[in-house]
Amino acid sequence: MKVAWIFDLDNTLHDARPHIFPHINRDMTAYVQRELGVSEEEANRLRMHYWQRYGATLIGLMRNHATDPQHFLRATHDFPDLHAKLVSEPGLRATLRRLPGRKLVFSNAPAHYAAAVLKALGIADLFDEVFSIEHTGYRPKP
């Protein structure tokens, strides 16, 4: 029997809560505010409404505002200082190396961000494939 491990990226391979998610949330609100010409309060309300209704802010923006998904993902997942924002467990690489079989990442994040996180964590070489939101036709996983 062949074994495959499927990992989520954020809050599985690293803790996104303290730095990454607040950064993404700020960037998403700013994006909605800028692109739709609404107040920060309205942008935040729309961001949360679309996330709750569709499972991802992006889907709501695509369906209701014809937002270009690549433009949105680039603008909201840009981390020049990514390494400084990552929080991970010591020994992550050693733990992953001990797992037999293939290792895959399946994430609602965009491919460029997932690749950058894996590289910054020093574990990119341990994964056989990364399936990002682009691979699902921008349909978020539950």
Side-chain angles (χ1 to χ4, degrees), residues 13-86:
L13 295 174
H14 72 102
D15 186 355
R17 291 171 295 181
H19 308 294
I20 300 293
F21 282 166
H23 182 100
I24 291 171
N25 289 339
R26 280 191 303 273
D27 282 357
M28 284 187 184
T29 297
Y31 182 93
V32 172
Q33 185 178 4
R34 183 177 61 252
E35 296 297 316
L36 300 185
V38 298
S39 69
E40 181 179 355
E41 181 180 324
E42 177 63 6
N44 194 51
R45 186 193 70 74
L46 279 172
R47 178 180 66 80
M48 292 301 298
H49 171 70
Y50 292 155
W51 179 73
Q52 291 168 346
R53 181 166 184 195
Y54 300 109
T57 300
L58 172 59
I59 306 309
L61 290 171
M62 290 170 60
R63 289 184 182 172
N64 295 288
H65 306 281
T67 296
D68 174 9
Q70 284 299 315
H71 186 256
F72 174 83
L73 292 171
R74 283 276 171 203
T76 59
H77 291 76
D78 181 31
F79 289 91
D81 58 344
L82 179 63
H83 198 276
K85 293 191 180 313
L86 289 174

Side-chain angles (χ1 to χ4, degrees), residues 5 12 34 44 53 87 89 103 127 129:
W5 299 87
T12 301
R34 183 177 61 252
N44 194 51
R53 181 166 184 195
V87 177
E89 290 295 319
K103 293 168 199 72
F127 287 87
E129 291 191 58

Side-chain angles (χ1 to χ4, degrees), residues 80-109:
D81 58 344
L82 179 63
H83 198 276
K85 293 191 180 313
L86 289 174
V87 177
S88 65
E89 290 295 319
L92 174 63
R93 182 175 176 80
T95 299
L96 290 169
R97 286 188 65 169
R98 285 194 299 271
L99 296 175
R102 294 175 39 118
K103 293 168 199 72
L104 315 165
V105 171
F106 184 46
S107 177
N108 282 341

